Amino acid sequence: VYNDHVAQHSSTTCRREVVHHQFKRYSYEKCKNKRMRSFLYFGESYNLVERDFETTKLLRVLDVRRHGVPSKIIGDQIHLRYLGIDSYSLRDIAAIISKLRFLQTLEADDYYPIEETIDLRKLTSLRHVIGKFFGELLIGDAANLQTLRFISSASWNKLKPELLINLRDLEIYDNYKSKEGRVSVSWASLTKLRNLRVLRLMANHGIYLSLKSEEAVRSMDVISSSLVSVTLDAITFGEDPMPFLQKMPRLEDLIFKNCDYWGGKMSVSEQGFGRLRKLDLL
């Protein structure tokens, strides 16, 4: 950890380095550390400290969110397991991100939406993907994927949810209206996620949650048996969602925010919501 007391310290053997943006005397000339595995640069500055990353081919963890990093440098770090990066830089490396074939966690800050196409189909080791992916997000063999936030409803509808066998945390988000008209999310696609525990559906202009025509789901006694928490934000319902939601046997938290319901009343049966502890209608 670099601070004023070790300003002149130079190490070629340490494996983990942490630098704050106000630390002015961090010299990359003194810190060409080929053995470095983890580098964290944090603070408010948008200018990355000068660091000779080209010599750190064994780097496993790189967290430089809100700080620009040349795309060539990231493309050379083929052993990366964790990449924390700002949204602008992620757009710059969209074409080369497939080189990071061992990457397990991709986390982009949520200050700006990513409207470009991000292709992750070759990254079969991915476990956590976090960022405002308003553009198309391409995911291939995602058997290891556990966290997916935020994916647009348009991209979600193109995936095969039955392949996401380990997905536990999902957020579907839209910040604008689809060019094809109102965006719809099928509840049947969500019931295929056998290990999903946390679900958030969020939108500024409204996602239409399709329930009416899903007779296969309607006839089930139990729906999404693994879900513990559901948050619905700015969702439009064409019919009462409670008959569906109350069939979730492990559901503990149910939150409605700024939702639109076209019907008259919502009704819950006496046997519904056996474990519900928190209900918010905001």
Side-chain angles (χ1 to χ4, degrees), residues 7-275:
Q8 304 305 318
H9 176 66
S10 175
S11 173
T12 58
T13 59
C14 70
R15 296 195 173 194
R16 299 173 180 85
E17 296 185 13
V18 180
V19 184
H20 188 267
H21 78 102
Q22 291 182 341
F23 183 68
K24 304 297 183 182
R25 289 176 287 179
Y26 180 84
S27 172
Y28 76 98
E29 287 293 339
K30 296 181 180 180
C31 300
K32 291 187 176 182
N33 182 3
K34 295 182 179 180
R35 298 188 179 186
M36 186 169 66
R37 301 293 192 273
S38 175
F39 182 81
L40 168 62
Y41 181 74
F42 69 102
E44 299 177 357
S45 172
Y46 281 83
N47 297 317
L48 178 64
V49 63
E50 293 186 52
R51 185 67 175 86
D52 188 6
F53 287 108
E54 294 186 8
T55 65
T56 57
K57 302 298 185 180
L58 300 179
L59 197 64
R60 301 292 195 275
V61 177
L62 179 60
D63 191 341
V64 286
R65 281 171 287 181
R66 301 186 68 187
H67 307 283
V69 179
S71 59
K72 179 181 182 300
I73 290 177
I74 293 180
D76 290 339
Q77 307 299 329
I78 61 173
H79 295 289
L80 273 180
R81 302 301 196 270
Y82 175 94
L83 175 60
I85 192 171
D86 68 284
S87 300
Y88 279 116
S89 294
L90 180 58
R91 290 181 288 190
D92 293 338
I93 70 167
I96 64 170
I97 198 170
S98 61
K99 293 182 180 180
L100 308 178
R101 58 183 182 274
F102 298 115
L103 194 67
Q104 296 180 2
T105 299
L106 173 62
E107 184 169 1
D109 66 49
D110 58 0
Y111 291 98
Y112 303 101
I114 302 166
E115 299 183 1
E116 288 75 13
T117 296
I118 303 297
D119 190 348
L120 305 177
R121 287 176 293 184
K122 293 183 179 180
L123 307 185
T124 57
S125 297
L126 275 174
R127 297 181 182 178
H128 309 283
V129 177
I130 302 171
K132 281 190 175 181
F133 299 99
F134 287 179
E136 189 170 10
L137 183 63
L138 303 177
I139 299 176
D141 182 1
N144 295 314
L145 194 63
Q146 298 178 20
T147 304
L148 181 55
R149 317 183 205 138
F150 319 86
I151 183 173
S152 71
S153 57
S155 291
W156 172 256
N157 288 335
K158 295 178 182 179
L159 295 181
K160 296 181 179 179
E162 61 272 13
L163 300 180
L164 306 176
I165 57 177
N166 287 307
L167 191 64
R168 300 177 184 178
D169 191 333
L170 171 65
E171 185 159 346
I172 302 176
Y173 183 93
D174 276 279
N175 195 43
Y176 52 84
K177 292 181 179 179
S178 170
K179 295 179 181 179
E180 295 140 359
R182 186 172 58 188
V183 178
S184 177
V185 176
S186 168
W187 195 269
S189 69
L190 303 175
T191 62
K192 296 177 182 179
L193 305 172
R194 301 301 183 186
N195 291 303
L196 189 66
R197 294 178 57 83
V198 178
L199 171 66
R200 305 177 191 86
L201 299 180
M202 306 176 68
N204 281 353
H205 292 282
I207 296 177
Y208 181 76
L209 188 61
S210 174
L211 299 172
K212 186 175 181 179
S213 61
E214 301 187 23
E215 295 299 330
V217 177
R218 187 189 300 274
S219 62
M220 293 180 181
D221 294 329
V222 175
I223 297 175
S224 302
S225 60
S226 61
L227 266 174
V228 174
S229 176
V230 173
T231 299
L232 304 171
D233 191 343
I235 306 301
T236 300
F237 298 101
E239 63 173 303
D240 184 1
M242 291 303 190
F244 286 82
L245 299 175
Q246 70 180 1
K247 293 182 180 181
M248 300 178 183
R250 298 183 61 187
L251 190 64
E252 297 181 4
D253 297 338
L254 178 58
I255 302 171
F256 293 92
K257 293 182 179 180
N258 306 311
C259 292
D260 291 328
Y261 171 45
W262 298 344
K265 295 181 180 181
M266 289 185 177
S267 60
V268 179
S269 68
E270 185 176 353
Q271 293 78 28
F273 296 115
R275 292 191 180 183

